[in-house]
Amino acid sequence: MKMRKMKSNPLVSFIIPTHNASKTIEESVASIFCELKDPNLVEVIIIENASTDDTIYKCLKLMNKYKNVYLYRTKKGVSNARNEGLKQSNGKWIVFLDADDYIVSGMVNNIIIDAKSNRADLFIYGYESGNTRIIFTKEAKLFKSDNLDCLKIKMLKNPTKFMTVWAKLFKKELIIKNDIFFNSQLRLAEDGEFLIRFNKVCRKVLLKPESIYHYSINSSSTVHNFDGKKSRDYVYALEAGKKAIASEKESVKEAYLFYVLMHLNLLMVHEVFSTKNTMVWGKKIESLKNICQLDIFIDSIKNLKIRQCSNIRMIPVLLVKLHCYNLAAVLFKLRSWQNKKKELADTAK
């Protein structure tokens, strides 16, 4: 199913995959048009993604309300939805927006200014995560051939902050020309794998001080929700990323080892030692040991240096390297409880 009212030639296409987002999709779309000076410069591509609630009804209402909103349907999977959005979009620039998030009031005008400037292939903005504001720079900073690898390394070493496709503006020409679509086989870390491939073809990246995006912490999301399948899914995604980064410089490939360990951390916190995992403690320790013996993690753990563990999140991984599994497990469990407490606090607000 596809529903489009007319051919348009926008500057920026906003792609919104939506699955059972009846409660949030209207706010998400409305945020794009809020205080927008010229609506003709944008289009909104909603990809309805196998919803079972009345999301479709809400999307049809949005099509009637805004002339530049278009609706398509695809099979389940956020990567399938984003790929369909890329194929259907007419804009020269792409913004990915999740259906339970929104653009900060008036910030679409800033995005349009950047798109018109054509100063970079990728613009990276600050964002709000729940009640926390994440800002990467105090003033605009351009990375190009002489220092672009420095940014790639920084992004890989901070995947939870950088390696998402939202709060970014992508030049569509590079995506299409280099056939950089989302890997529909990945269920986790698909954003990171996409960005690794996109960054390889970028010549200029501009880090911006504006906070343009609000990320709504969703405890029922695939990443945060325990389902017993994350070990396999993370390993598959990390192996795909390893292939994608194989042609990069050694310094970038070394940073990818750190990226792998950060995902080991996520896997332990959100899966093995999740507050929702009812497995007995001894089995969790056994699972930790077995996962750390997988090829994708062995090299990263072996090459981890103590000086690289100034980040508190890396302390339990260092303990794993030292074979202090029980102590590492306690820290993973503590982090899981802290995340749960934060999610409840953000939801309450």
Side-chain angles (χ1 to χ4, degrees), residues 44 77 104-105 169 174 193 219 239-240 294 299 316 325:
V44 179
V104 174
S105 180
L169 178 64
L174 288 182
E193 196 267 347
S219 60
E239 288 175 344
L294 297 175
D299 285 344
Y325 295 107

Side-chain angles (χ1 to χ4, degrees), residues 156-294:
L156 288 169
K157 289 188 173 183
N158 297 274
T160 56
K161 289 185 176 181
F162 278 103
M163 300 300 280
T164 61
V165 295
W166 40 262
K168 294 176 178 65
L169 178 64
F170 295 86
K171 182 177 285 188
K172 183 184 175 183
E173 178 186 2
L174 288 182
I175 296 174
I176 302 303
K177 182 180 179 180
N178 295 281
D179 195 30
I180 302 173
F181 289 89
F182 289 86
N183 186 339
S184 60
Q185 301 301 310
L186 304 185
R187 197 173 70 98
L188 290 171
E190 68 280 352
D191 283 25
E193 196 267 347
F194 175 89
L195 270 170
I196 287 170
R197 288 184 287 120
F198 186 84
N199 282 344
K200 286 170 65 176
V201 301
C202 277
R203 294 298 173 262
K204 293 184 290 184
V205 179
L206 191 60
L207 217 58
K208 296 297 298 291
E210 297 94 340
S211 179
I212 69 151
Y213 192 99
H214 181 87
Y215 170 70
S216 303
I217 297 174
N218 182 358
S219 60
S220 63
S221 68
T222 303
V223 172
H224 293 93
N225 194 28
F226 171 76
D227 61 9
K229 301 176 182 177
K230 286 192 181 67
S231 300
R232 175 198 62 198
D233 292 331
Y234 268 128
V235 168
Y236 189 67
L238 292 170
E239 288 175 344
K242 185 177 181 179
K243 291 179 182 178
I245 213 157
S247 59
E248 290 279 14
K249 293 180 180 178
E250 284 302 317
S251 58
V252 179
K253 287 191 282 189
E254 287 177 10
Y256 186 74
L257 296 177
F258 201 88
Y259 175 85
V260 169
L261 294 179
M262 291 298 288
H263 281 82
L264 174 62
N265 204 328
L266 291 172
L267 172 55
M268 291 300 126
V269 171
H270 294 298
E271 184 76 0
V272 177
F273 296 99
S274 166
T275 57
K276 299 177 182 178
N277 188 347
T278 59
M279 192 162 45
V280 297
W281 187 253
K283 289 290 185 181
K284 291 180 180 181
I285 299 295
E286 183 181 341
S287 181
L288 166 60
K289 293 179 180 178
N290 290 337
I291 289 171
C292 290
Q293 291 303 309
L294 297 175

